[in-house]
Amino acid sequence: MADDAALATVAGEAITYGEVKGLLAGTTGGNREGQDLFRNPVAVSRMRDREATGKALAAYAKKQGIEGSEWMKEVRSDMERSILIDLVAERDVLKGIEVTDREVRAAYDEQSQKMVQSGKKRIPFGKVEGLIRQYLDRQKRKKALEEYIADLRKKAKVVVNEAMLPKV
């Protein structure tokens, strides 16, 4: 199918196959278990529908006068701030965080008495290794972010006036 083929139109604006392919490529790298998502009719259909819904809602918001409103400007500013925070966190804080095989094994050994099936049989390491790795990765990331934020707040000389909270 040609990239300029219209899969749908919303308020006169076409959603092309090329757009859908680009969106699918951005979500999962465009490839899942060797199958290109943009060749999968179900994936293409779902992405087309998601885009059509999004564009329909945007057209409705524009018609209602929401676009350009103070509320919209605040929401956009909050979203931009959130994106910047995520980018800085990923680039400066979370980059290079790894969980070693040794850490995974140590966590398994430490918690092995809790890892049992039917109250008796110990769950094999191979069955829980991925879950343990994910848990440890989340914990490392959380700790790194907390330390980074604490340092950032210290450098920025953040002062919180707790005495004001009871007056709220």
Side-chain angles (χ1 to χ4, degrees):
M1 179 180 306
D3 282 355
D4 62 351
L7 300 179
T9 56
V10 178
E13 187 179 338
I15 298 171
T16 66
Y17 181 58
E19 286 177 72
V20 170
K21 276 176 41 178
L23 292 166
L24 286 169
T27 58
T28 61
N31 192 303
R32 182 174 65 198
E33 297 176 10
Q35 179 183 7
D36 291 325
L37 287 179
F38 61 85
R39 296 180 198 272
N40 180 326
V42 174
V44 170
S45 173
R46 286 183 180 160
M47 186 59 74
R48 177 211 53 214
D49 292 348
R50 186 186 94 171
E51 275 304 290
T53 301
K55 287 185 179 199
L57 287 169
Y60 177 75
K62 190 173 187 175
K63 198 174 193 178
Q64 295 297 311
I66 293 172
E67 186 175 66
S69 68
E70 281 304 311
W71 176 80
M72 181 66 182
K73 289 175 187 172
E74 287 177 32
V75 169
R76 180 172 279 131
S77 176
D78 287 345
M79 288 178 65
E80 287 172 357
R81 186 174 25 250
S82 178
I83 290 168
L84 287 173
I85 290 167
D86 288 347
L87 288 172
V88 167
E90 195 61 42
R91 187 192 73 197
D92 295 348
V93 183
L94 304 176
K95 187 173 154 185
I97 289 181
E98 285 185 21
V99 177
T100 65
D101 293 341
R102 180 178 285 165
E103 290 170 315
V104 175
R105 176 55 84 172
Y108 175 79
D109 292 342
E110 185 179 303
Q111 298 296 323
S112 63
Q113 72 277 6
K114 294 178 184 175
M115 295 187 200
V116 293
Q117 285 178 319
S118 305
K120 300 177 194 174
K121 187 177 178 186
R122 188 171 163 183
I123 300 173
F125 176 72
K127 288 196 175 198
V128 292
E129 179 181 8
L131 294 172
I132 294 170
R133 188 175 300 279
Q134 287 175 353
Y135 172 78
L136 293 174
D137 184 65
R138 280 193 306 271
Q139 294 304 310
K140 278 188 166 186
R141 288 172 174 270
K142 180 180 175 186
K143 183 180 179 192
L145 278 172
E146 287 171 352
E147 289 171 355
Y148 181 80
I149 290 168
D151 187 51
L152 190 64
R153 289 173 64 94
K154 186 177 178 182
K155 287 178 183 175
K157 298 179 182 163
V158 173
V159 177
V160 177
N161 189 352
E162 294 287 342
M164 295 305 290
L165 286 179
K167 298 176 183 179
V168 174

